[in-house]
Amino acid sequence: MMIMQLDNAWTLVAAMATILLGMRIHRVLPMLDRANIPPAVSAGLLLAVLLALLRAGGIVDVRLATVPRDVLLLVFFASLGFGAHLGRLATAGKSALVICLAVVLVAVGQNLAGMLLASAFGQPAVLGLFAGSAAYLGGHGTATAWASAAHVEGALELGLGSATLGLVLGGLVAGPVAAWLARRAEAVARAAGAPDAAQTAPD
């Protein structure tokens, strides 16, 4: 089987070509846009299946460089907040500020718990960050990006495992809680919109 190893430059070219292919696919299938599926995901999934079939058939094994992925992941997650409008956030009222404060406190609490857990097992405290907000608030992408930058043994495995655990538990908890909140909001709205019994009573 032929092995095709792409260097950093050709990996970036392949990534950009994949996005352009995805945009072409979305023009042909506008339902993908309506479903809010990114072009990179549409074409990436198609090419991933195609490359997997070529590898399984013993035809060619295309291997991409990982350095551009690691760098671009860091750039992506570090720049997520650049689009935030602090003026609008300030006018959003107390509820938005309370949510922001709660997120900050949760992140700090997760990191402290992770660092204490790592220290209890005789591991570097920085490893605990991958059992903290890097995984639970950031998810798999953030854990992967910072693991490549931290150069700490076991960081990637711990980060991905923690992110998966958070994803599973979040899915198990979020569904029932969201359903309960929806039923509660519906009941409150129904009670607020119901006519007063005294006004509807017959004379």
Side-chain angles (χ1 to χ4, degrees), residues 79-89:
S79 60
L80 278 178
F82 289 172
H85 196 294
L86 296 180
R88 292 181 181 176
L89 182 62

Side-chain angles (χ1 to χ4, degrees), residues 57-85:
I59 301 173
V60 63
D61 182 9
V62 179
R63 300 180 180 179
L64 306 175
T66 59
V67 173
R69 178 203 66 186
D70 297 338
V71 173
L72 292 176
L73 278 173
L74 286 174
V75 171
F76 173 74
F77 289 109
S79 60
L80 278 178
F82 289 172
H85 196 294

Side-chain angles (χ1 to χ4, degrees), residues 45-148:
L45 181 59
L46 178 63
L47 291 178
V49 172
L50 177 60
L51 293 176
L53 292 175
L54 291 174
R55 180 187 298 175
I59 301 173
V60 63
D61 182 9
V62 179
R63 300 180 180 179
L64 306 175
T66 59
V67 173
R69 178 203 66 186
D70 297 338
V71 173
L72 292 176
L73 278 173
L74 286 174
V75 171
F76 173 74
F77 289 109
S79 60
L80 278 178
F82 289 172
H85 196 294
L86 296 180
R88 292 181 181 176
L89 182 62
T91 59
K94 289 184 178 180
S95 298
L97 295 177
V98 168
I99 291 174
C100 291
L101 179 61
V103 171
V104 171
L105 292 177
V106 167
V108 172
Q110 288 177 345
N111 290 333
L112 289 176
M115 293 168 66
L116 289 174
L117 184 63
S119 299
F121 283 91
Q123 299 297 320
V126 67
L127 189 61
L129 299 179
F130 295 92
S133 65
Y136 292 121
L137 284 180
H140 293 81
T142 304
T144 302
W146 288 111
S148 65

